Amino acid sequence: MMELWSLSPIQHSQKSTHLMREELCLSKENQAAAESVAESRGLQLAEHKAQVAALSESLADAERRVYEGELVRRKLHNIIQELKGNIRVFCRVRPVSAAEQASPDHDSDLCLDFPISGDLLGHGLTVSVPGNLTGQATAKHNFSYDKVFGPTAGQEVVFEEICELVQSALDGHKVCIFAYGQTGSGKTYTMLGSKECPGMIPRAMTQIFDSSRKLAETQGWAFTMQASMMEVYNEEYKDLLAKKARAGTEPKKHTVLHDTTSGTTTVTDLTCVDVSKPERVAALLAEAMEKRSVGCTALAEQSSRSHMVFTLKIDGHNAGTDVRVAGVLNLIDLAGSERVKDSGAVGDRMKEAQAINKSLSALGDVIMALANKDKHVPYRNSKLTYLLQPCLGGDAKTLMFVNVAPTREFAQESLCSMRFAAKVNACEINPRKSVNVKA
């Protein structure tokens, strides 16, 4: 090939021109290819942008439908609870204990019968009360409640019936669940249970925390929860989570303050603990039970001499929708009801029994006044009812367990408990008049 330096000027120019034409063609081809790629990528980018916009719109629509669906679920859930009754009564019969079966000092024959078919199956029972006088016939009394649990019903079966009520607290409602009954009837077991068979309080905490976590993961909710534990002993409030008072100092006095505008209740100098796990609540329960007032009576070696009130305050906020909820769950292990003459109480035990019976009577009076829509509801007749005032009326949901013993030895006490529960069960507080749900 002839080198460029050996060519004539004309030939050199022609050669250079030819090379430049080739370079120009190549550049044009490269430009066309680049423009084609750019156009293709531009189309792809536009397609991607359209897909992102469509997916964003679909996501927003899905989130809106989830939010609307949650609103409908909450409304339907609340309607179902109201149709069931804002105040309900469940009867739970404990099993005959091994000590009752083994000792001749106990009349362990059964005094309760349960229907085996018909409308009252699972809702009714009959108590047979022996006559007090020789030759006096046994009297039979029939009762029906919203639910009756026999001696074989386990804790999980019982909780299944109240779990929807617990959910109402997470939805922003005020909920009260009581355990009522004579000393030794199984109230504390129902509410607290054992390590192997947890009761209503630990099971409720597990449900609350599991549900709140799922709502946080799927719908963007954030919840904060505070637990407190009090007892009402001899018509005085006592903080069961308070640190031990120094020697020579008086325990703090607590005052209950109700804000009628917001519907909230505060107790002065009450220990409130932030909780986020069921295990934390279990530790608080163990701490509180060590401080609770108990004593020995003729009816039980370990008798609760106070009303124990576990309160969980729930505040929820959804950042996406800016919706807020505030619920309260009160779980209450009432002191054992008992007739003073049967309990063998004297001195301090007599004073305790009188205070217990007075406050239980006041609780019944409040529920009856609410049901009758009386202008005056006697909340102040008892420290217990005054503490729970916002959670007993209005839109609050209340459930009472009446715990009874199954044997003839306690037939008269069981009859008294079931009569009280029957009065409560006959009450209707704010019954729902109509149902109207819109998505």
Side-chain angles (χ1 to χ4, degrees):
M1 182 177 180
M2 186 180 293
E3 298 294 340
L4 289 177
W5 57 266
S6 63
L7 297 176
S8 66
I10 295 176
Q11 291 175 325
H12 186 275
S13 299
Q14 289 175 339
K15 188 65 175 180
S16 297
T17 302
H18 178 71
L19 290 174
M20 285 188 288
R21 285 196 183 107
E22 289 182 348
E23 289 178 3
L24 177 60
C25 289
L26 182 60
S27 296
K28 287 181 177 180
E29 289 176 359
N30 290 339
Q31 180 183 357
E35 288 176 349
S36 177
V37 170
E39 182 179 359
S40 175
R41 289 180 177 175
L43 291 174
Q44 291 178 348
L45 179 61
E47 288 177 0
H48 288 321
K49 286 182 177 180
Q51 288 177 355
V52 169
L55 288 173
S56 297
E57 185 177 349
S58 297
L59 177 60
D61 183 61
E63 289 176 339
R64 177 186 57 77
R65 284 186 279 110
V66 167
Y67 169 64
E68 291 176 351
E70 175 63 13
L71 289 181
V72 172
R73 184 205 65 77
R74 287 171 182 255
K75 190 169 185 178
L76 284 172
H77 179 85
N78 192 49
I79 288 171
I80 290 170
Q81 300 313 303
E82 290 182 350
L83 290 174
K84 287 182 176 180
N86 270 2
I87 180 164
R88 283 172 264 170
V89 176
F90 290 173
C91 179
R92 189 179 193 188
V93 182
R94 70 163 172 80
V96 179
S97 69
E100 290 171 332
Q101 292 175 333
S103 174
D105 295 334
H106 294 284
D107 184 355
S108 60
D109 289 341
L110 300 181
C111 69
L112 298 176
D113 293 302
F114 305 90
I116 58 175
S117 63
D119 294 340
L120 290 180
L121 179 63
H123 299 279
L125 76 167
T126 300
V127 56
S128 300
V129 182
N132 293 326
L133 302 176
T134 303
Q136 187 175 13
T138 296
K140 292 189 174 184
H141 305 267
N142 299 316
F143 295 92
S144 65
Y145 303 102
D146 294 290
K147 190 69 178 178
V148 173
F149 300 98
T152 60
Q155 300 278 54
E156 68 283 354
V157 174
V158 177
F159 183 73
E160 184 66 25
E161 291 293 330
I162 73 164
C163 63
E164 291 182 354
L165 204 59
V166 173
Q167 179 64 39
S168 291
L170 195 62
D171 287 348
H173 297 280
K174 295 179 175 67
V175 176
C176 267
I177 300 177
F178 296 89
Y180 172 87
Q182 71 193 68
T183 296
S185 61
K187 300 181 305 299
T188 300
Y189 178 78
T190 292
M191 298 306 286
L192 295 174
S194 62
K195 185 176 181 180
E196 297 75 20
C197 299
M200 301 306 105
I201 294 178
R203 288 175 187 271
M205 294 305 99
T206 298
Q207 176 181 323
I208 288 287
F209 289 121
D210 285 349
S211 297
S212 63
R213 186 179 65 254
K214 290 177 182 176
L215 287 170
E217 293 172 352
T218 60
Q219 298 181 33
W221 281 91
F223 290 92
T224 57
M225 305 183 197
Q226 281 195 329
S228 63
M229 295 193 71
M230 295 179 66
E231 72 171 352
V232 182
Y233 174 71
N234 280 348
E235 286 298 289
E236 293 292 337
Y237 298 123
K238 180 180 176 182
D239 184 355
L240 292 176
L241 299 180
K243 294 180 180 179
K244 189 175 181 180
R246 295 180 181 178
T249 61
E250 290 290 327
K252 291 181 179 179
K253 297 291 184 181
H254 303 285
T255 302
V256 174
L257 304 172
H258 296 306
D259 186 335
T260 55
T261 302
S262 64
T264 58
T265 296
T266 56
V267 181
T268 60
D269 296 314
L270 179 65
T271 304
C272 295
V273 181
D274 291 329
V275 291
S276 58
K277 295 180 180 179
E279 295 78 13
R280 179 59 174 139
V281 176
L284 295 176
L285 289 172
E287 178 185 343
M289 290 306 293
E290 291 180 357
K291 301 176 183 177
R292 190 179 181 188
S293 301
V294 297
C296 178
T297 73
L299 296 176
E301 290 184 5
Q302 283 286 100
S303 173
S304 300
R305 312 309 293 165
S306 67
H307 309 303
M308 187 190 75
V309 182
F310 172 88
T311 300
L312 184 72
K313 292 186 177 181
I314 305 168
D315 291 301
H317 179 228
N318 189 310
T321 59
D322 200 30
V323 174
R324 297 179 182 273
V325 295
V328 180
L329 179 62
N330 289 298
L331 300 166
I332 303 144
D333 180 17
L334 295 171
S337 63
E338 55 193 33
R339 293 181 296 174
V340 174
K341 65 182 183 67
D342 291 335
S343 68
V346 294
D348 288 342
R349 293 290 173 265
M350 171 74 79
K351 181 181 177 182
E352 290 169 353
Q354 290 172 337
I356 290 168
N357 290 339
K358 177 186 175 183
S359 62
L360 293 175
S361 177
L363 176 61
D365 292 341
V366 164
I367 292 173
M368 291 298 292
L370 289 169
N372 295 333
K373 295 181 172 53
D374 294 346
K375 290 184 178 179
H376 172 68
V377 180
Y379 290 112
R380 291 182 177 272
N381 286 0
S382 161
K383 290 292 182 70
L384 176 68
T385 52
Y386 187 65
L387 171 66
L388 300 175
Q389 178 177 338
C391 296
L392 290 175
D395 191 40
K397 286 85 170 74
T398 303
L399 184 143
M400 177 181 287
F401 281 105
V402 55
N403 294 81
V404 295
T407 60
R408 288 196 309 188
E409 180 181 6
F410 301 109
Q412 191 63 51
E413 288 293 337
S414 295
L415 176 62
C416 291
S417 295
M418 286 191 281
R419 279 176 170 167
F420 175 82
K423 289 181 180 179
V424 174
N425 201 40
C427 297
E428 268 192 298
I429 298 177
N430 291 336
R432 175 167 283 275
K433 296 293 192 300
S434 61
V435 177
N436 182 23
V437 180
K438 296 181 179 178

